[in-house]
Amino acid sequence: MSQTTGIILEGIPATGKSTIISEMLSRSEIINRDFMSLFTFGEDITQRVLERKDNKGKITKDDNLNLLNDILTPLEKYKIYYQKRGWIGDKKEHRYGFILERFHLTHANYFSHMGWEDVIDVDQRLLKLNSKLCFLTMEKKVMEERIIHSRGEEWRKYISRFANSNKEIVNYYYQQQQNKRMLVDRSSLPKLILDTSTKNWGEIVDEIISFWGI
């Protein structure tokens, strides 16, 4: 029996990561699990806490790796505690779960000083924690509405740093999606790739929970 069960949700902005996590956390099959603690780490913790330092040009690779390590190390310690306790029972009891909204693949893709070779060890540590990877995508034809028009003025100011016109912004994020897909392919984690263009959130969450096996 594994003492851990984790899911990482990756994808460019507006693919529905936060929406999906909110829906997942409302599902009875997750919130009513007996004996199981569940930790949820949103992208503010897993990545965005470093953005201000990055914008000032002061970020280093150690900053990225230290953040990833600070999140992983307690999860690994909990696994050791569970193993020492020696609980015996149903395979879905007496274990803990965790959700990561963006993680090592985002660091390797978003930050220019990071690459796949920097997060290989993190990928292997996640594998030992019985983690699975869900990569959320969307078709290029819906990106302008989802990424640009569905969000407020502050967001538009933020994304204008990447390009000037709507077409250029869409092209930028489409390329980011392609780049991240290549990182997903290199990961050793069991993976599920889902197109969220239709925004059928209920069906999408059903598929993720089934894949996760929580």
Side-chain angles (χ1 to χ4, degrees):
M1 180 189 76
S2 174
Q3 290 79 19
T4 66
T5 178
I7 187 83
I8 302 113
L9 297 179
E10 285 281 4
I12 64 171
T15 46
K17 298 180 297 297
S18 298
T19 299
I20 287 168
I21 289 173
S22 295
E23 172 73 15
M24 289 172 66
L25 294 179
S26 72
R27 294 294 187 91
S28 62
E29 56 263 57
I30 289 182
I31 62 177
N32 293 333
R33 297 262 353 123
D34 289 338
F35 308 110
M36 194 176 84
S37 298
L38 181 65
F39 305 96
T40 303
F41 299 84
E43 62 184 32
D44 281 355
I45 293 175
T46 62
Q47 179 245 325
R48 298 200 63 197
V49 289
L50 299 178
E51 284 182 353
R52 187 173 185 182
K53 196 170 186 179
D54 182 43
N55 292 339
K56 292 181 176 181
K58 296 181 178 181
I59 194 170
T60 67
K61 192 175 295 186
D62 283 343
D63 292 319
N64 296 91
L65 297 178
N66 288 339
L67 176 60
L68 295 171
N69 184 66
D70 287 345
I71 294 170
L72 276 180
T73 297
L75 295 174
E76 292 169 330
K77 288 182 178 179
Y78 304 151
K79 180 180 179 181
I80 294 172
Y81 287 134
Y82 272 57
Q83 288 173 331
K84 288 182 177 179
R85 173 59 176 80
W87 271 306
I88 299 174
D90 183 272
K91 67 179 181 178
K92 291 189 177 182
E93 291 181 355
H94 300 305
R95 63 176 182 169
Y96 64 90
F98 58 90
I99 299 171
L100 300 173
E101 181 186 13
R102 298 188 182 180
F103 203 58
H104 61 314
L105 301 189
T106 290
H107 283 255
N109 187 54
Y110 179 86
F111 296 96
S112 60
H113 58 280
M114 293 287 289
W116 170 249
E117 65 279 0
D118 300 309
V119 298
I120 293 174
D121 179 63
V122 174
D123 197 71
Q124 291 301 307
R125 290 169 69 184
L126 287 166
L127 185 63
K128 291 177 182 178
L129 287 171
N130 191 34
S131 306
K132 295 182 178 181
L133 173 62
C134 180
F135 181 47
L136 305 172
T137 69
M138 57 183 164
E139 297 177 15
K140 191 175 184 179
K141 65 183 181 182
V142 304
M143 286 186 176
E144 182 170 344
E145 173 59 31
R146 294 272 290 273
I147 295 175
I148 301 172
H149 300 310
S150 66
R151 299 192 175 191
E153 186 61 28
E154 286 301 314
W155 170 252
R156 180 57 193 251
K157 290 179 182 178
Y158 170 75
I159 61 177
S160 65
R161 71 177 67 186
F162 304 122
N164 295 317
S165 69
N166 288 358
K167 182 178 179 180
E168 290 173 339
I169 290 171
V170 167
N171 286 338
Y172 169 80
Y173 278 108
Y174 181 75
Q175 187 59 54
Q176 288 295 301
Q177 181 168 274
Q178 297 299 96
N179 294 344
K180 186 168 282 191
R181 172 61 191 266
M182 289 189 288
L183 293 172
V184 169
D185 290 341
R186 299 182 77 170
S187 173
S188 297
L189 301 176
K191 52 188 70 82
L192 174 68
I193 300 172
L194 287 177
D195 183 346
T196 67
S197 300
T198 60
K199 299 203 284 190
N200 292 326
W201 302 122
E203 294 178 8
I204 290 169
V205 169
D206 287 342
E207 194 163 351
I208 293 173
I209 291 175
S210 177
F211 166 70
W212 187 5
I214 190 170

